[in-house]
Amino acid sequence: MILTVTPNPALDLTWHVDRLTPGATHRVRTGVARAGGKGVNVARVLHGRHIDVLALATSGGATGAEFTRELDSSGIPHHVVPIGGATRRSVAIVDDERGETAVFNEHGAPLDAAESSALLDAAARLGRASRVVAICGSLPPGVSPDALGALVEGLVAAGTRVVVDTSGPGLLAAARAGAHALKPNRDELEAAMGHADPVSGARALLDLGAGLVVVSLGAEGLVCVSRADAAGGLRARLPRVLHGNATGAGDALVAAIAAALADTPDLHEDTDVAAAARSRLARRAAAWSASAVLMPLAGELSPQHDALEAEVVVESIAEEHA
């Protein structure tokens, strides 16, 4: 089983407009509200691929009640930790003409000490019974980077494979705790490590203790660097740009990493099997990420994902980075 942990989930609200004009009034089709947050979106992708998954998240207030009802109706197995504060909202406005999306994320309610402990204890307990744990998204006030690091360290010690998609001090804490894989985007990586070059930034995270780093680069695809090939690594991209709703692209990429870790636990090792698995991961992750852009809502893959996977170009990173 793969466990996804979403410390700061959201009720995702999505509207599509023909063309977004700042300052104008828009008449739009009825919007969609669904349970979201990065880890929930990862679970939704995996569930759609018929992969055994459990989504762990918090829920509180009126928005939390709607969040939980939608999660119940989705059929995704889940465990919800109740909190006193209201679950935050995330608003996505998709400009269909331009193929661009504006996203407005609320910060999220703080967790008190008891709520934070309940979430972390559930993650540790359920994680020890899982093959892979994906910890995704921002940390709400009350869940510190040190607490995230301790969770990752404990899961790794228990033999569970851990992938983390977060930013800032939490990203550094996960690396130092020995996370098997990290998935920052280009901006998150530069902010955390100070490297404009994603390969150099990825290597810096490997030096801290991570096993594998996959950096999402938007329309440019991704780079995948492991301890075994830190002097090189892989680039993967589509040879064309897709336009649509990119809000779930990174989550689809994390789903691909989690599925790969479930199939090849030692993905970062210096073996032929691991090297072949990293190449498959880079290709599939780029395809899943791209196919998510074609879907109206986050957490879904386009039926074209297999065809897109065949188009993906995977190349070795030049030795000039060594």
Side-chain angles (χ1 to χ4, degrees):
M1 182 185 74
I2 296 174
L3 174 71
T4 70
V5 181
T6 312
N8 200 16
L11 181 67
D12 284 350
L13 308 171
T14 304
W15 283 271
H16 283 253
V17 300
D18 295 331
R19 183 181 179 88
L20 182 61
T21 304
T25 298
H26 301 76
R27 187 173 297 278
V28 299
R29 298 179 296 277
T30 301
V32 177
R34 71 193 308 185
K38 288 183 176 295
V40 174
N41 292 337
V42 171
R44 202 179 289 273
V45 170
L46 294 171
H47 181 68
R49 298 296 299 151
H50 308 291
I51 295 172
D52 187 19
V53 65
L54 176 68
L56 172 65
T58 60
S59 177
T63 49
E66 188 172 357
F67 171 94
T68 302
R69 285 195 301 270
E70 198 285 324
L71 200 51
D72 289 341
S73 66
S74 73
I76 301 169
H78 57 277
H79 179 82
V80 172
V81 175
I83 60 172
T87 298
R88 68 191 178 108
R89 292 164 294 189
S90 176
V91 178
I93 309 296
V94 184
D95 184 322
D96 288 331
E97 182 176 309
R98 295 188 179 94
E100 299 174 348
T101 304
V103 180
F104 304 86
N105 289 321
E106 295 181 345
H107 289 293
L111 305 188
D112 64 26
E115 293 165 345
S116 178
S117 293
L119 174 64
L120 295 169
D121 289 348
R125 173 175 53 83
L126 295 170
R128 287 192 297 269
S130 305
R131 296 175 68 184
V132 177
V133 174
I135 305 171
C136 308
S138 59
L139 301 179
V143 179
S144 69
D146 287 345
L148 172 63
L151 173 62
V152 172
E153 186 174 13
L155 290 172
V156 170
T160 302
R161 305 292 160 172
V162 182
V163 53
V164 179
D165 177 11
T166 191
S167 60
L171 180 66
L172 303 181
R176 294 188 180 103
H180 295 84
L182 299 175
K183 202 295 295 174
N185 64 34
R186 188 203 308 264
D187 292 340
E188 291 166 343
L189 184 60
E190 183 174 359
M193 307 308 298
H195 293 280
D197 172 38
V199 178
S200 299
R203 284 192 205 161
L205 284 176
L206 295 176
D207 289 342
L208 288 179
L212 177 78
V213 179
V214 181
V215 186
S216 55
L217 305 175
E220 297 175 37
L222 59 85
V223 297
C224 176
V225 184
S226 78
R227 288 181 188 172
D229 55 15
L234 299 169
R235 292 187 186 272
R237 59 179 177 80
L238 274 180
R240 57 194 174 101
V241 176
L242 302 180
H243 297 283
N245 180 9
T247 54
D251 304 329
L253 199 160
V254 175
I257 297 172
L261 282 172
D263 290 338
T264 309
D266 297 322
L267 196 60
H268 62 279
E269 296 295 333
D270 188 10
T271 65
D272 290 343
V273 171
R278 288 193 295 274
S279 182
R280 290 194 301 271
L281 164 61
R283 180 178 298 278
R284 176 154 297 175
W288 283 18
S289 179
S291 78
V293 174
L294 299 177
M295 301 305 290
L297 300 172
E300 299 176 354
L301 299 184
S302 164
Q304 301 179 41
H305 65 83
D306 285 335
L308 290 172
E309 190 169 331
E311 289 187 47
V312 171
V313 177
V314 180
E315 301 171 316
S316 295
I317 294 172
E319 288 297 325
E320 66 190 41
H321 289 286

